[in-house]
């Protein structure tokens, strides 16, 4: 069954179209093939330039497609985000995180039997061994949880039985489910260790998100009933973050995996990339900024004053703007609904929710932002919601990582099935000295 799934979801091979692009440099002319997209921009295949006297230069890969992929489609102008063709709005309304994980990883929505067996398999793997708990105990309690999470996922490969060969389909299936299952348990451990609270074992009878909340917040000797709104909200936020095509961490996962590094090592590398404040840390920053606005208002100023100060100083307002979305981030619209639901249910710091709602209104009416196509992004809301659930700001990015695991796994698997995949090895335009003659240390002068 596992092998069938793997083959059934094989990605379409890039389709070369009859069109071509012409490139003329000095006296040389190249006919470059065009690879057709099903939607979005087509790609110009530049591999023909290999071994020529020039390379392409594209800092940040802003106009470079590193692969063809059939997992996620984004149209930033039209506010479109689709996983395997399904709009994010439909998935958030009708699906669950583990079903979406299945969709991303295997390429299709499962039947009821397939979904239930997948969920049972994942839930049945959530336990991590006692040796793993001892390993985790060696880290300082106050270390940043993202550093602990990446180290833990890299180490998981040594604790889980089976090969980690990229050619062993059964091992890939095992690793897929182990990472999904055990990262959830590890994330709850990280949350509790920070607070010096006893770590809780998983309860197989509960749902993935329900049990994650229990493992984070339950008192061991008391019966724990999760708030259904919190379970629903977290399930939806995990869906919203589950994939976002070729972002920084996903690219890192693909490049790491392209050397045939194991799925464990590749996902651990993705977590390292996500830990950077320019990538996964924006929700923490957005929450901090709303707290700053609260202090600002206590001094008799207004939200508009704060926004004006940001504009005057050419700063960036956290929670607004996006590299890809130049209209409303569709994930932000759904996350905002949940922020409202939490506010209406009086969960969390209501003051902060009110400030965020007002901040959004002020910004949306400000020409500075509209003329630059700057809209609220998902991070404006997620930090507020996680805080209202009871998570410390340092834990926010670990929840983002937990959510992104299906996407990373789906990309890693897709890359290994793609016959065009090669080990990632970009070129450079060298701008250093042409030649230096070595001078012995005694003869060197300033
Ligand atoms: N607040 C104020 N001005 C902004 C903001 C912002 N949040 N974002 C962009 N601008 C301004 C820029 O200063 C620039 O102004 P100029 O034309 O006068 O020079 C103009 O808008 C265009 O900005 P770019 O830098 O081209 O925007 P880019 O698409 O490169 O940046 C980014 C996107 C990095 C997300 C940026 O909007 C930002 O830093 N936002 C705040 C941080 C944030 O919320 N990040 C989370 C993103 S969502 C996610 O990662 C899940």
């Amino acid at each position: 069954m596992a092998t069938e799934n793997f083959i059934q979801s094989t990605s379409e091979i890039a389709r070369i179209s009859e069109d071509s692009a012409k490139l003329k440099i000095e006296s040389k002319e190249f006919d470059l093939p065009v690879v057709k997209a099903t939607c979005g921009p087509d790609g110009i295949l530049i591999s023909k330039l290999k071994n020529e006297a020039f390379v392409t230069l594209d800092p940040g890969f802003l106009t470079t497609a590193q692969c063809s992929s059939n997992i996620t489609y984004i149209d930033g102008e039209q506010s479109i985000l689709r996983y395997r063709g399904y709009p994010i709005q439909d998935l958030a309304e009708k699906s669950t995180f583990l079903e979406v994980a299945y969709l991303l990883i295997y390429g299709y929505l499962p039947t009821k039997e397939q979904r239930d067996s997948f969920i049972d398999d994942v839930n049945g793997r959530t336990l991590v061994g006692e040796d793993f708990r001892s390993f985790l105990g060696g880290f300082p309690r106050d270390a940043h949880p993202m550093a602990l999470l990446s180290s833990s996922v890299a180490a998981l490969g040594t604790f889980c039985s089976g090969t980690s060969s990229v050619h062993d389909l059964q091992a890939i299936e095992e690793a897929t489910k182990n990472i999904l299952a055990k990262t959830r348990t590890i994330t709850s451990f990280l949350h509790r260790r920070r607070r010096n609270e006893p770590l809780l074992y998983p309860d197989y009878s509960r749902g993935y998100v329900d049990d994650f909340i229990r493992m984070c917040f339950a008192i061991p000797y008391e019966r724990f009933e999760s708030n259904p709104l919190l379970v629903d909200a977290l399930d939806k936020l995990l869906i919203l973050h589950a994939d976002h095509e070729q972002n920084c961490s996903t690219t890192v996962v693909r490049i790491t995996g392209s050397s045939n590094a194991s799925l464990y090592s590749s996902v651990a590398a993705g977590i390292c990339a996500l830990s950077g404040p320019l990538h996964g840390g924006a929700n923490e920053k957005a929450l901090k900024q709303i707290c700053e606005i609260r202090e600002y208002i206590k001094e008799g100023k207004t939200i508009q004053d704060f926004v004006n100060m940001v504009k005057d100083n050419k700063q960036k307002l956290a929670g607004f703007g996006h590299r890809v979305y130049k209209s409303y981030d569709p994930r932000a619209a759904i996350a905002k609904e949940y922020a409202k639901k939490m506010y209406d249910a009086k969960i969390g710091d209501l003051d902060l929710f009110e400030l965020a709602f007002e901040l959004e209104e002020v910004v949306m009416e400000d020409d500075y932002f509209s003329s630059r196509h700057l809209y609220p992004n998902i991070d404006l809301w997620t930090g507020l919601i996680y805080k209202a659930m009871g998570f410390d700001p340092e834990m926010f990015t670990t929840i983002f990582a937990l959510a992104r695991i299906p996407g990373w796994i789906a990309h890693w698997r897709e890359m290994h099935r793609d016959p065009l995949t090669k080990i990632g090895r970009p070129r450079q335009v060298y701008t250093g000295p042409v030649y230096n003659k070595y001078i012995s240390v005694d003869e060197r002068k300033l």
Side-chain angles (χ1 to χ4, degrees):
M1 180 63 196
T3 312
E4 266 171 42
N5 278 342
F6 195 80
I7 293 164
Q8 194 171 344
S9 59
T10 296
S11 57
E12 276 177 28
I13 314 298
R15 290 176 302 129
I16 308 282
S17 90
E18 298 195 342
D19 305 333
S20 66
K22 302 234 180 297
L23 178 70
K24 194 165 175 227
I25 307 172
E26 292 157 1
S27 59
K28 285 198 166 182
E29 220 179 290
F30 300 90
D31 246 347
L32 301 175
V34 170
V35 176
K36 294 303 278 184
T38 47
C39 35
D42 295 336
I44 300 168
L45 199 62
I46 53 156
S47 323
K48 260 194 174 178
L49 298 182
K50 194 174 155 224
N51 300 330
E52 291 293 338
F54 14 75
V55 290
T56 53
L57 179 64
D58 183 17
F61 311 123
L62 299 194
T63 42
T64 295
Q66 59 138 341
C67 60
S68 60
S69 175
N70 58 17
I71 301 173
T72 290
Y73 175 66
I74 301 173
D75 181 335
E77 304 293 330
Q78 306 290 327
S79 289
I80 290 173
L81 169 61
R82 296 186 195 130
Y83 298 159
R84 303 283 188 186
Y86 295 94
I88 192 68
Q89 293 83 352
D90 288 358
L91 294 172
E93 188 193 331
K94 297 170 187 157
S95 191
T96 57
F97 176 62
L98 279 189
E99 185 178 78
V100 167
Y102 192 107
L103 171 70
L104 287 167
I105 294 168
Y106 299 110
Y108 57 95
L109 281 173
T111 61
K112 188 176 178 318
E113 288 71 30
Q114 285 170 324
R115 187 195 61 187
D116 293 349
S117 128
F118 178 69
I119 291 173
D120 279 353
D121 199 354
V122 170
N123 281 347
R125 291 166 188 267
T126 42
L127 200 61
V128 296
E130 292 305 306
D131 285 349
F132 191 88
R133 288 166 65 126
S134 311
F135 157 79
L136 204 56
F139 287 102
R141 265 177 212 284
D142 58 356
H144 197 284
M146 282 300 275
L148 300 186
L149 191 64
S150 54
S151 309
S152 300
V153 173
L156 257 189
T158 67
F159 283 90
C160 295
S161 60
T163 72
S164 56
S165 163
V166 300
H167 305 296
D168 181 343
L169 300 188
Q170 191 55 42
I172 293 171
E173 276 305 312
E174 299 269 327
T176 294
K177 289 163 192 160
N178 283 337
I179 296 171
L180 270 171
K182 297 184 198 301
T183 307
R184 186 202 67 165
T185 303
I186 294 165
T187 307
S188 79
F189 283 2
L190 300 180
H191 168 83
R192 294 189 82 99
R193 273 191 88 243
R194 290 176 56 75
R195 299 176 172 201
N196 206 6
E197 290 173 358
L199 311 184
L200 298 187
Y201 289 100
D203 173 352
Y204 297 155
S205 67
R206 302 174 84 121
Y208 184 91
V209 175
D210 176 23
D211 203 35
F212 175 62
I213 290 180
R214 183 193 65 82
M215 282 196 290
C216 288
F217 299 111
I219 297 169
Y221 47 84
E222 285 181 8
R223 192 176 157 69
F224 183 83
E225 290 301 335
S226 309
N227 179 332
L229 174 57
L230 299 197
V231 176
D232 183 34
L234 188 54
D235 195 63
K236 298 315 175 213
L237 294 189
L238 296 184
I239 290 175
L240 298 183
H241 277 308
D243 193 40
H244 217 225
E245 50 118 309
Q246 313 304 322
N247 54 81
C248 173
S249 55
T250 302
T251 302
V252 166
V253 169
R254 276 184 175 261
I255 296 275
T256 307
S258 76
S259 72
N260 282 358
S262 76
L263 186 55
Y264 295 101
S265 305
S266 306
V267 169
I271 296 171
C272 290
L274 186 69
S275 71
L278 293 184
H279 190 6
N283 51 17
E284 198 178 326
K285 234 170 138 187
L287 175 68
K288 211 168 142 202
Q289 175 186 268
I290 293 168
C291 294
E292 266 173 51
I293 293 179
R294 177 154 66 181
E295 295 309 308
Y296 207 73
I297 285 175
K298 280 187 195 154
E299 293 166 16
K301 297 176 190 155
T302 64
I303 293 186
Q304 186 66 63
D305 293 334
F306 185 88
V307 170
N308 291 343
M309 178 198 65
V310 167
K311 293 189 297 187
D312 293 345
N313 296 339
K314 276 267 168 205
Q315 290 169 347
K316 298 266 168 81
L317 204 54
F320 293 87
H322 196 275
R323 174 54 55 81
V324 181
Y325 296 114
K326 298 303 172 195
S327 56
Y328 211 99
D329 176 347
R331 304 166 304 167
I334 299 166
K336 184 183 171 190
E337 277 174 35
Y338 279 89
K340 277 193 178 147
K341 285 186 192 185
M342 303 279 284
Y343 176 75
D344 291 343
K346 300 196 170 17
I347 299 172
D349 192 334
L350 303 189
D351 249 20
L352 295 182
F353 279 118
E354 281 167 18
L355 286 171
F357 297 138
E358 278 178 49
L359 176 65
E360 187 197 25
E361 269 178 39
V362 168
V363 169
M364 295 287 278
E365 281 169 18
D366 192 315
D367 278 353
Y368 180 94
F369 291 89
S370 52
S371 63
R372 289 170 172 77
H373 307 288
L374 301 170
Y375 293 86
N377 61 50
I378 185 170
D379 288 325
L380 179 62
W381 309 110
T382 50
L384 279 168
I385 297 173
Y386 295 147
K387 181 175 188 303
M389 286 175 171
F391 290 106
D392 302 331
E394 291 79 2
M395 286 298 296
F396 294 173
T397 318
T398 62
I399 303 172
F400 187 166
L402 188 61
R404 188 52 60 85
I405 278 172
W408 288 330
I409 293 175
H411 282 274
W412 188 96
R413 293 171 63 127
E414 182 181 68
M415 177 202 58
H416 278 296
R417 290 191 301 272
D418 186 342
L420 294 182
T421 294
K422 295 198 183 313
I423 183 170
R425 204 309 184 184
R427 301 291 301 278
Q428 64 172 10
V429 175
Y430 177 70
T431 54
V434 175
Y435 173 78
N436 272 329
K437 188 170 182 309
Y438 186 83
I439 304 165
S440 72
V441 70
D442 303 336
E443 291 170 40
R444 284 175 218 159
K445 297 195 182 95
L446 275 182

